[in-house]
Amino acid sequence: MSNIVRSSLLLTSASFLSKFLGMIYIIPFNAMVGPVGGTLYGYAYTPYNIMLSISTVGIPLAMSKIVSKYNTLGDYETGRRLFKYGTILMIISGFIAFFILFFSADALANIYITNEAKSAISTDDVAFVIRMVSFALILIPAMSMTRGFFQGYESMGPTALSQVAEQIVRIVFVLVSVFIIVVILKKSIATAVGFATFGAFVGAVGSWIILLVYWKKRKPFLDRQLAEQRVRNDIPTSSLLKELFSYAGPFVIVGLATSMYQFVDNVTFERAMVSGGYKDFEIALGAINTYAHKLVIIPSTIATGLSLAILPAMTKTFNSNKMNILHQQINQSLQIVLVLVIPASAGLTLLSDVAYGTIYGLANIDLTGSLLAWYAPVGLLFSLFTVTSSILQGINQQNFSIISLLAGLLAKVLLNIQLIHIFGPKGAIFGTALAAGIAVALNLWRIKVSIQMPYRQTVTRTMLIGIFILIMGAAIWIVRAVFGLFIPYDESWWGAAIMLAIGVTVGGGVYLYFAYASTLLERIFDGKVPVIDKLLAKWKRA
């Protein structure tokens, strides 16, 4: 199995576990704060994610690329020097981002909520939760710089473990604080959500501890590399910083994409829903941008892990001018996403009502389940945008990511209100799908023309994946039709949970069987897949 695949699987596993934990904790969180609390939570995290991306200016991933580049040349001192100055820069930008978000909370609240009389959420509530989440910006930018340094050495363990630690610490703090505030002290939902968003700061502290332990452990080895290096470029610090920023700017685009789409929804959704005569916009917006989004982005963690893993290796290959190998790496990267994310998104669409009902409850399931069904396929577009943007960065075409995102975002801004007027709340999903689709199509085109990239193999295997998805869909439809005769999955939580478990088991099993038996997985992953081999061996023995 190639180093890209191993690194991808490590980061993907960590990201998946982190996102899975994030989905699981939302179950008790939703039970305590409800749909209004979910919408309030989304109001806080959308500007926070935007400021987080801007405050890091894409430097951590750019750091990964530059460290990999100079390590390949045998120059370790340059990477260490850049790490020092980059960390100082991240500390400064983190404080600046904190002050901006903290003091702009009232203005953002007034943009989001235009008619308090018709809303269950006040502008004071929105401003409070935004201020509480802003504290995390003090720590996270510098922390992500350290992750980028380790990734430049193709060492993904520190990033993986710190991500999981950050999520666990955050979740424990969120659930304990919300329980105390809502259940014991009987305080307001806004107060509880405010402390929940402050959990981002607490989680960052836990992540920092892990990274510092890794740094202390690895520092003797890194120091030996410095002492033994024979190549020295003596690049001025000003030139290094210029190179860093030339790479860094477009990196922010990947992190901004989803948050910008959500920001457009936050600004336009209430206005469009009220003027269109639709009610309960808080329920719909919370379902899309908070609760359903938690489910949709789980398959996208595959792309996140892959994008982090492929960048150092792809940069090395591109700088070595090994185009045949580069084409193979790009095809493999795209196919890993497609073979795993397409069935996950399709399965989530087919089981949307029971998935949403099991995790968040059956209240308003006709609306919320339908929204999840439409939103699930958009997760594939998020994944492809993340990976294609990372590929562009690896082949020094990173500036084009700005063009592709802005093109998609322009379509979202121009059409979002009209789509909501025509299609109701799912119009916002259509707007996001259109925006992400435009960005992905432009990225793929740019990759093709830049390095004469052949997509034939990827297209052929995607068609095969599509055939397996049709078979999987038929299997899930049969399961729902048969078991639905005696399992009340649309009326009870236990029924929805059982139907979800059966549907995932049968649908996933059917897809994996055909993907494995056809050798599709073996071809994409450069060899046998040990986990499936063991499962099949046990099944045959049984």
Side-chain angles (χ1 to χ4, degrees), residues 109-184:
N110 286 306
I111 292 174
Y112 289 161
I113 306 298
T114 59
N115 192 334
E116 288 191 80
K118 294 185 178 181
S119 174
I121 299 173
S122 70
T123 54
D124 288 340
D125 293 340
V126 176
F128 173 68
V129 297
I130 291 175
R131 290 194 181 97
M132 290 295 281
V133 78
S134 66
F135 287 94
L137 292 169
I138 298 173
L139 295 181
I140 292 181
M143 175 188 71
S144 58
M145 168 61 71
T146 306
R147 289 175 176 173
F149 178 77
F150 283 124
Q151 290 161 18
Y153 278 80
E154 298 188 41
S155 175
M156 308 302 170
T159 296
L161 188 57
S162 65
Q163 281 180 341
V164 175
E166 180 180 3
Q167 187 72 302
I168 291 174
V169 172
R170 184 178 74 88
I171 288 172
V172 171
F173 177 83
V174 168
L175 294 181
V176 171
S177 62
V178 171
F179 180 80
I180 292 173
I181 292 169
V182 173
V183 178
I184 298 178

